[in-house]
Amino acid sequence: MTSSELNDWLKKEQSEGSGWSKDDGSGETVGHESGRNIIQILDKNPDKDPDKYDEEDLQHMRKVASYCKRHLAQEEKAKQDTDSKSHKSLKNWGHDALKA
C-alpha cells in the first residue's frame, strides 16, 4: 500500500477494531500503531533509498514483513473475505491482500 492509501485506511472506523489492543489503555491496536509507523517510514524516504533508513526503520520493516508472512500463511480468509478481521488487520500493517 502507498502512504496515502494506508493513511486513508487508518482513518476508517473499520481499521480500528481488528487486532490486539495495546496495553497502554489508548484503545489503539498494535497493528494500527504499526500502520502509523509505516506511513512515517514511507514519507521520510519516498524514493526507498536503502541508505536513508535508520536501524529503527529497518527493525520495524522486518517486524511488518514477518507479521504479514506469518498471517498470510495462516489466514487464507484474508485473501477471500475483505470483511474478515484478518484482512483488516493486514491492511493496518500496510498489506492489502487483494493487491498482492
Side-chain angles (χ1 to χ4, degrees):
M1 295 175 75
T2 66
S3 174
S4 61
E5 289 171 332
L6 183 52
N7 190 42
D8 289 346
W9 166 252
L10 292 177
K11 290 177 182 176
K12 294 181 178 180
E13 189 176 325
Q14 296 171 307
S15 74
E16 296 174 6
S18 58
W20 293 95
S21 293
K22 293 173 21 181
D23 292 335
D24 64 3
S26 68
E28 183 177 40
T29 64
V30 174
H32 203 270
E33 178 183 48
S34 173
R36 290 188 300 103
N37 289 338
I38 293 165
I39 290 168
Q40 289 176 345
I41 292 168
L42 292 172
D43 288 348
K44 180 171 83 172
N45 188 6
D47 295 328
K48 299 178 182 168
D49 180 349
D51 295 328
K52 292 187 179 179
Y53 294 118
D54 59 33
E55 189 55 39
E56 191 174 309
D57 297 338
L58 295 172
Q59 184 178 15
H60 189 70
M61 290 189 295
R62 286 184 195 106
K63 182 178 178 179
V64 169
S66 175
Y67 176 88
C68 291
K69 180 179 179 180
R70 184 172 64 251
H71 284 271
L72 284 168
Q74 294 172 352
E75 301 280 346
E76 187 64 30
K77 187 181 233 183
K79 298 176 188 173
Q80 299 169 353
D81 182 2
T82 59
D83 200 37
S84 70
K85 283 191 172 191
S86 297
H87 179 80
K88 293 173 188 175
S89 181
L90 282 163
K91 281 185 84 169
N92 284 351
W93 286 79
H95 181 82
D96 186 344
L98 299 180
K99 292 178 77 175

